[in-house]
Amino acid sequence: MKLVACEAVAQRLEGGRMSTLQAVKGMNDILPSEIAKWQRFETTFRDIAARYAFSEIRTPIVEPTELFARSIGQGTDIVQKEMYTFVDKGEKSLTLRPEGTASTARAFMQHRLGAQSPVNKLFYLGPMYRRERPAKGRYRQFFQAGAEWIGDDSAYADAETVAFAHSLLDALGIKEHRILINSIGSNETRANYRKALYDFLEPKTAQLSVDSQRRLELNPLRILDSKDPKDKALIGDAPSILDFLGADDREHFQQVQEALTQLGIAFEIETRLVRGLDYYNRSLFEIHATAADLGSQSAVLGGGRYDGLLETLGGKAAPATGFATGIERMLLAMPNAETAPQIDVAVLVAEASLRGDALLLTERLRRAGMRVDADWRGLSLKSQLRRSDKLGAPFAVILGQREKENGVVQLKSLKKHEQKDVGIEGLIPYLQSELESL
Ligand code: HAM
């Protein structure tokens, strides 16, 4: 059966024009023109992660389906509707990871990282997959940068996690944002609150959106982050989860707030913040970028404490807290910076007979550490210069018959529009000092 299906696809591809082949809906190519911003994000994230003493972990993109069902939760939108799940040839149900916390927890347990060190601070970067309705800032393949702090139950760990996220936004130049925090307490708090919320909303079922009517029975907490104006109006008067916290959780949340205040980090308490994954307890937070044109995708970062997750997955209990940020959303919120030129020098050759000399010169410059482009299509000097300009080369080195005979090259500054002869022997140190002084 499977083979027949493959053949049908192959025939359709052969029959159709190749130009109709497109990336999967909601999954984007990241083109060279966009890459500088991605790299700026990644370098900044790694730098800030190192300052907070987090180490990198890389886990597979594919995991057993059960991992996500048991951690994120059976009743969540992610597990119910959004996972890319398939049965592999070994008849095992596998899923493309929709997030990184569950995989990190699985790897932590599998490799007994807790036995090596009581506290593990781990970060990751990579693609995640959720079959959501694509929109600006919401994709089916998207990238997350995340941090997980396993082994510390202190409110200071929560506050430092928020501080890490805050420093990241600061370093990226995302000035206009709101930090929302809340606490959802213990399992008992949530069970009591769920019941209170149900009792509050049930008599108003008919006024709820169709989606929320379904959520009411399954998971009424999800109604709190509904974007539907009808739901929002009703939720305004709903009970607050903070009134259901036990004494310990209340104190923990108080300490998180005090630590953030001490750190000078502005935050708002948002009692409707519950987040869409089941593993959370105690403090939660989200950061919304307010200036960027992100519409309902303004949540650029989210996280919280998940003290029960490792035990739920069959491991030894360990407290944990963390966050993840959607890189595409961060890039939309980041200001555009001037992009650095791709190359340092372009080698231009005036005559075909000198191509061998130019080839050797190009390689010598690269060995000296410079980023060098050369074009071997036999174009005119003018066309070669146009390409150098397009690549943003600050310098072009021109080799012609006259130059060769005199043991020099013509060095052209494309920024200052000046040119002069430089002896071939002294060219490398001369270029290096010119590039340094740019
Ligand atoms: P999350 O809120 O589901 O949390 O996702 C974190 C961030 O990923 C969101 O704030 C958003 O920026 C981005 N994101 C989510 N879905 C999409 C999408 N379809 N397209 C683009 N960006 C998206 C988690 O994933 C938790 N694992 C966070 C965490 C880590 N909690 C504790 N540790």
Side-chain angles (χ1 to χ4, degrees):
M1 272 305 285
K2 279 179 192 152
L3 249 183
V4 174
C6 281
E7 271 167 24
V9 171
Q11 271 170 12
R12 225 180 309 137
L13 286 180
E14 260 170 44
R17 284 176 300 125
M18 283 302 279
S19 63
T20 58
L21 272 180
Q22 302 264 318
V24 174
K25 186 177 170 191
M27 305 207 182
N28 302 313
D29 297 309
I30 302 160
L31 300 175
S33 58
E34 303 160 89
I35 214 74
K37 216 170 173 184
W38 280 82
Q39 288 173 347
R40 188 151 65 88
F41 175 89
E42 288 160 8
T43 310
T44 308
F45 183 78
R46 286 176 189 283
D47 176 39
I48 306 282
R51 285 194 223 173
Y52 283 83
F54 281 66
S55 312
E56 185 170 1
I57 184 164
R58 298 186 189 187
T59 61
I61 286 169
V62 180
E63 294 275 2
T65 303
E66 192 194 345
L67 172 64
F68 303 116
R70 277 171 56 187
S71 55
I72 298 169
Q74 290 284 3
T76 59
D77 281 355
I78 297 180
V79 172
Q80 290 252 312
K81 305 191 284 201
E82 297 169 0
M83 295 206 304
Y84 284 93
T85 297
F86 60 97
V87 177
D88 84 342
K89 289 198 176 130
E91 305 290 306
K92 209 168 157 28
S93 177
L94 302 178
T95 293
L96 300 187
R97 62 180 182 196
E99 56 105 55
T101 308
S103 309
T104 306
R106 197 251 330 118
F108 173 88
M109 295 187 314
Q110 184 175 332
H111 304 285
R112 301 181 195 286
L113 298 185
Q116 292 164 32
S117 159
V119 174
N120 282 266
K121 294 160 81 171
L122 307 165
F123 79 84
Y124 50 84
L125 287 149
M128 307 291 161
Y129 300 85
R130 296 184 194 176
R131 201 173 188 288
E132 294 192 75
R133 195 166 45 79
K136 184 175 181 187
R138 186 172 62 215
Y139 310 105
R140 290 180 171 178
Q141 174 184 269
F142 60 99
F143 285 74
Q144 277 188 349
E148 313 293 351
W149 184 334
I150 306 175
D152 193 332
D153 66 358
S154 162
Y156 276 33
D158 298 59
E160 271 222 272
T161 304
V162 177
F164 176 168
H166 178 256
S167 302
L168 177 66
L169 268 81
D170 200 41
L172 295 169
I174 306 174
K175 294 212 167 54
E176 290 175 48
H177 61 261
R178 294 168 65 204
I179 300 181
L180 311 177
I181 66 167
N182 194 24
S183 176
I184 54 168
S186 61
N187 286 343
E188 195 189 337
T189 305
R190 280 194 306 291
N192 290 339
Y193 181 64
R194 196 173 292 129
K195 182 166 183 321
L197 191 62
Y198 180 88
D199 290 346
F200 171 82
L201 289 170
E202 201 272 337
K204 308 176 175 68
T205 306
Q207 293 154 260
L208 286 169
S209 69
V210 178
D211 263 350
S212 288
Q213 287 182 14
R214 186 180 54 82
R215 290 183 190 127
L216 186 61
E217 297 302 328
L218 204 65
N219 188 357
L221 262 60
R222 305 292 328 130
I223 300 177
L224 295 180
D225 50 27
S226 165
K227 305 275 182 320
D228 192 297
K230 278 194 296 192
D231 297 340
K232 277 186 163 176
L234 284 181
I235 291 159
D237 297 324
S240 159
I241 195 162
L242 293 181
D243 295 331
F244 292 75
L245 294 184
D248 284 359
D249 293 338
R250 202 167 316 129
E251 196 189 322
H252 194 275
F253 190 43
Q254 189 60 38
Q255 279 175 6
V256 173
Q257 294 171 52
E258 282 165 15
L260 288 175
T261 307
Q262 240 180 326
L263 288 167
I265 296 173
F267 61 88
E268 298 163 44
I269 297 176
E270 173 50 74
T271 60
R272 312 283 175 244
L273 179 69
V274 288
R275 308 209 5 90
L277 305 102
D278 279 359
Y279 48 63
Y280 290 119
N281 69 312
R282 291 194 157 172
S283 9
L284 302 182
F285 76 108
E286 254 177 29
I287 303 188
H288 290 251
T290 44
D293 175 24
L294 278 163
S296 56
Q297 268 59 254
S298 69
V300 291
L301 188 150
R305 186 159 274 290
Y306 52 95
D307 296 330
L309 177 62
L310 287 136
E311 208 174 7
T312 307
L313 292 175
K316 195 165 156 248
T321 186
F323 74 82
T325 176
I327 302 183
E328 288 85 350
R329 291 187 193 178
M330 286 291 232
L331 299 190
L332 288 166
M334 267 162 72
N336 284 321
E338 208 179 296
T339 47
Q342 239 175 292
I343 61 166
D344 300 313
V345 187
V347 172
L348 276 43
V349 58
E351 287 157 46
S353 61
L354 296 173
R355 280 153 60 107
D357 298 274
L359 182 71
L360 289 178
L361 176 61
T362 305
E363 206 51 26
R364 270 182 56 212
L365 297 179
R366 288 194 186 121
R367 285 195 188 154
M370 289 173 228
R371 299 171 302 166
V372 190
D373 181 72
D375 184 318
W376 306 111
R377 291 173 299 165
L379 299 177
S380 68
L381 266 185
K382 204 170 156 201
S383 301
Q384 291 179 61
L385 262 174
R386 212 175 296 131
R387 176 178 165 82
S388 320
D389 236 357
K390 214 169 159 198
L391 293 175
F395 295 103
V397 166
I398 304 169
L399 193 63
Q401 198 55 45
R402 177 189 70 82
E403 286 83 10
K404 182 170 181 185
E405 278 159 18
N406 296 328
V408 296
V409 292
Q410 220 183 110
L411 183 65
K412 197 171 167 71
S413 161
L414 298 175
K415 302 280 171 255
K416 296 189 199 143
H417 304 287
E418 290 168 0
Q419 61 192 62
K420 61 172 166 188
D421 283 355
V422 176
I424 193 86
E425 292 314 319
L427 177 65
I428 287 177
Y430 185 83
L431 263 174
Q432 278 168 333
S433 85
E434 287 289 305
L435 285 166
E436 240 164 59
S437 64
L438 277 182

